[in-house]
Amino acid sequence: MKRILVLGAGGQVGSELVPHLRGIYGNDRVIATDVNAGRREGIPGDGPFEVLDALDGEAFNHLVGKYRVDTIFNLVAVLSATGERNPELAWNINIGALTHSLCIGKERGCAVFTPSSIGAFGKDTPKDKTPQDTIQRASTTIYGVCKVAGELLSDYYFHRFGVDTRSVRFPGLISHVTPPGGGTTDYAVEIFHAAVREGAFTCNIKAGTYMDMMYMPDALDAVVRLMEADPARLKHRNSFNIAAMSFDPEEIAAAIRRHVPAFRLSYDVDPVKQAIADSWPNSMDDSCAREEWGWRPAYDLPAMTREMIEKVGEKLAGSNAARGL
Ligand code: AKB
């Protein structure tokens, strides 16, 4: 049974992955860590929590030893749009956390999971049904450069030192628990909150811009399934394309209108985010993940929309009741 340490546990993925992993492996076998002590409140349930700056290799190594960890989930990331505001900082954080994870993985024999992203592709990559193995040399963001470098570095540590590195290329992730911060795909989360609260949304990405997206329960399932996969079946490692749905702002708005008929969508395009979105695939081919470790998403756009509207509505009603409204 695994003993897991999660870096960046208070973020969008970590705050849901930690309880998910604890449900499978047990509370005490999943150590949540975050640089920000206040984020502990955002992680539901019981289990160990430690304040850890993933760039402090000594403290990181100490915790891995203290808890006899055998698997590291590295979820530290400065996302695509924020990264463009300070590329050097984004490189230091994204690559620093990965480098420490790989070095500690090598020294202590830990498996290492680090997500890659649709951001690992760029403007010369085939846009439709983007293949698993294809051109990745034209990334227009520092985030994408970090993801491509991270994929190569993780494969290097596997081939050279036998570190069990595995990764998926996440699409934009949609969830009702913890909001994303600083990504290009964030609109696809914000649109649900605006639809439920105000019945209207101003979108910073143009109509007709298609990107792959995924509902969080599928993303969590992918991570566990990949890390549990029989290594003998893996022809790829860093990193697998995984896909669930691809839509543009008009299509997600139409799906929302089935639940909020008067929903209105307008546009105020952010040129930085639009340029990033234009450089990313419209949709990815995930057949290698399906063949090598049985990847299968459960949610399409209508199923995800139904659940998001319901959960965001419950959250709003709860906070209104707490404020006596
Ligand atoms: C972002 O938009 O930066 C992320 C991603 C697709 O990796 N959500």
Side-chain angles (χ1 to χ4, degrees), residues 46-183:
D46 292 329
F49 177 89
E50 299 270 0
V51 176
L52 174 65
D53 177 353
L55 303 187
D56 180 347
E58 216 173 295
F60 182 0
N61 197 7
H62 170 75
L63 286 183
V64 169
K66 175 178 163 186
Y67 288 99
R68 289 177 289 112
V69 166
D70 58 27
T71 306
I72 297 166
F73 284 78
N74 165 28
L75 304 180
V76 171
V78 175
L79 296 186
S80 55
T82 308
E84 292 313 290
R85 292 206 286 274
N86 192 339
E88 291 78 18
L89 181 73
W91 171 268
N92 288 340
I93 292 176
N94 293 353
I95 295 297
L98 174 63
T99 308
H100 284 314
S101 302
L102 294 171
C103 290
I104 293 168
K106 174 185 157 197
E107 187 183 323
R108 293 187 177 270
C110 303
V112 178
F113 172 84
T114 302
S116 186
S117 156
I118 52 174
F121 296 117
K123 53 186 175 24
D124 295 343
T125 307
K127 284 196 92 61
D128 295 306
K129 288 277 166 209
T130 301
Q132 171 67 39
D133 300 311
T134 186
I135 300 164
Q136 291 184 270
R137 288 198 59 86
S139 227
T140 54
T141 60
I142 190 67
Y143 177 68
V145 171
C146 292
K147 290 304 185 194
V148 176
E151 291 186 9
L152 289 172
L153 196 60
S154 300
D155 269 348
Y156 171 77
Y157 268 73
F158 169 65
H159 291 298
R160 176 87 167 78
F161 303 115
V163 180
D164 185 1
T165 54
R166 306 184 189 193
S167 171
V168 292
R169 293 182 181 129
F170 274 143
L173 296 180
I174 298 173
S175 97
H176 51 84
V177 176
T178 305

Side-chain angles (χ1 to χ4, degrees), residues 171-219:
L173 296 180
I174 298 173
S175 97
H176 51 84
V177 176
T178 305
T184 303
T185 57
D186 293 5
Y187 91 86
V189 177
E190 291 156 3
I191 196 169
F192 286 105
H193 292 270
V196 171
R197 266 195 326 262
E198 286 126 38
F201 180 64
T202 305
C203 188
N204 54 26
I205 295 293
K206 265 191 223 157
T209 309
Y210 282 81
M211 287 185 276
D212 267 312
M213 303 279 179
M214 183 176 291
Y215 193 36
M216 189 62 86
D218 277 332

